[in-house]
Amino acid sequence: MVAFNSSRLTAKEIAALLSDASASEIAAFSERYAEDPRKQVQQALKSAQRRLQHSAVENSRVQAMYSLQRELGGSGIIVGVDEVGRGPVAGPLTVGAVVLPDTPLIEGLNDSKKLSATRRETIAARIANVALAIGMAFIEPAEIDEIGMSAALKKAMKIAIEQTGVDPDCVLIDGNPVHVHPREKTIVKGDAKIASIAAASIVAKVSRDALMVSYDAQYPAYHFAENKGYASADHIKAIAEYGLTPLHRTTFCGNFVKGPRLF
């Protein structure tokens, strides 16, 4: 705990200490400085208390994700599964599968789309450290064109689940029924409700985004680092001007191609 002498601390020093104080330290400061007339002190106290309240709400949200996971998945091994990259016109379809222990809770778990890129990378590193197993699968554009998205999704989920190396008692999947596993359960918006599905969405998103950034160096005209393969205005313009690369899903790009030029 922070050691302090109230008779010697300036308002600036109190504010600095409160900026990263623990819950018990904030309580001690609040009691000691409740009647302090300095405006900076009172503002720092309010800010610290708001941070505590937000932390409590966030912890409750994440705890609920773990609780629902156990409620739906039972007491055995649960694999959470989610995909990213179903909608882009370039790049692979990517599926993650994650097995999480009940503790420790991973702070910040959420639907990957609700997190910034930096936040996703930070949480993905935590998932890698905590997860009991992680599986990943990539279906390349040519195969998506050949077999279609539904079959590609089913194949990718099957591979990702197998890549975890576990025999799950329950497989929780975001979205609608896929019929990829006999013990599958599907949850609409599961990436915001179930801890392991959220983890799967995050590791899949981080992995796929890293791939698309690496492809940007190979095909800089298409702005893959920024658009991640989605049909942004700059991306559509590049397709119209230069044609398709091997990274493009030709069945997705018919409306954008004006000529037959290919790489």
Side-chain angles (χ1 to χ4, degrees):
M1 183 171 177
V2 176
F4 57 86
N5 184 326
S6 61
S7 64
R8 297 181 180 178
L9 291 178
T10 66
K12 185 177 181 179
E13 289 170 335
I14 293 169
L17 289 170
L18 279 167
S19 66
D20 61 356
S22 67
S24 61
E25 290 166 350
I26 291 171
F29 273 106
S30 296
E31 181 178 355
R32 183 161 302 195
Y33 293 103
E35 304 300 326
D36 193 294
R38 291 171 291 181
K39 184 177 180 180
Q40 186 176 7
V41 171
Q42 293 305 314
Q43 288 177 335
L45 286 172
K46 288 178 180 178
S47 178
Q49 289 160 356
R50 283 195 299 270
R51 190 173 76 249
L52 272 187
Q53 291 168 356
H54 174 77
S55 178
V57 170
E58 176 64 7
N59 184 71
S60 178
R61 183 189 66 79
V62 174
Q63 181 64 65
M65 295 176 76
Y66 279 84
S67 297
L68 184 57
Q69 175 172 286
R70 273 296 164 208
E71 180 183 334
L72 295 177
S75 59
I77 298 173
I78 301 169
V79 176
V81 180
D82 199 12
E83 59 78 21
V84 297
R86 190 186 302 198
V89 300
L93 171 70
T94 305
V95 170
V98 176
V99 181
L100 292 178
D102 293 332
T103 58
L105 271 62
I106 299 175
E107 295 180 6
L109 275 180
N110 208 337
D111 171 4
S112 63
K113 297 184 292 296
K114 297 181 179 179
L115 303 169
S116 68
T118 300
R119 187 71 169 144
R120 281 195 299 266
E121 290 175 4
T122 298
I123 298 174
R126 293 177 188 164
I127 294 167
N129 288 331
V130 170
L132 301 177
I134 297 176
M136 197 76 65
F138 301 88
I139 305 295
E140 297 302 326
E143 187 168 5
I144 295 172
D145 287 333
E146 180 182 353
I147 66 176
M149 181 54 72
S150 294
L153 180 62
K154 190 169 183 176
K155 180 177 180 177
M157 287 188 172
K158 180 178 174 60
I159 293 171
I161 294 166
E162 290 174 348
Q163 287 291 318
T164 64
V166 304
D167 182 17
D169 297 290
C170 184
V171 175
L172 299 178
I173 300 176
D174 181 41
N176 298 309
V178 186
H179 308 296
V180 72
H181 194 279
R183 303 186 190 94
E184 136 187 346
K185 291 183 180 179
T186 54
I187 304 95
V188 174
K189 299 190 184 299
D191 48 6
K193 299 175 182 176
I194 305 293
S196 60
I197 297 179
S201 78
I202 291 168
V203 297
K205 175 67 173 169
V206 168
S207 296
R208 187 182 187 280
D209 281 0
L211 268 180
M212 298 309 295
V213 170
S214 71
Y215 292 146
D216 187 77
Q218 190 174 358
Y219 302 104
Y222 295 86
H223 309 282
F224 289 141
E226 291 79 28
N227 61 52
K228 306 301 187 293
Y230 285 88
S232 67
D234 286 342
H235 190 181
I236 293 170
K237 181 179 178 181
I239 291 172
E241 184 172 354
Y242 302 110
L244 302 179
T245 74
L247 296 177
H248 284 95
R249 306 169 185 178
T250 59
T251 53
F252 284 47
C253 297
N255 293 332
F256 310 136
V257 180
K258 295 183 180 179
R261 255 193 309 169
L262 302 174
F263 276 76

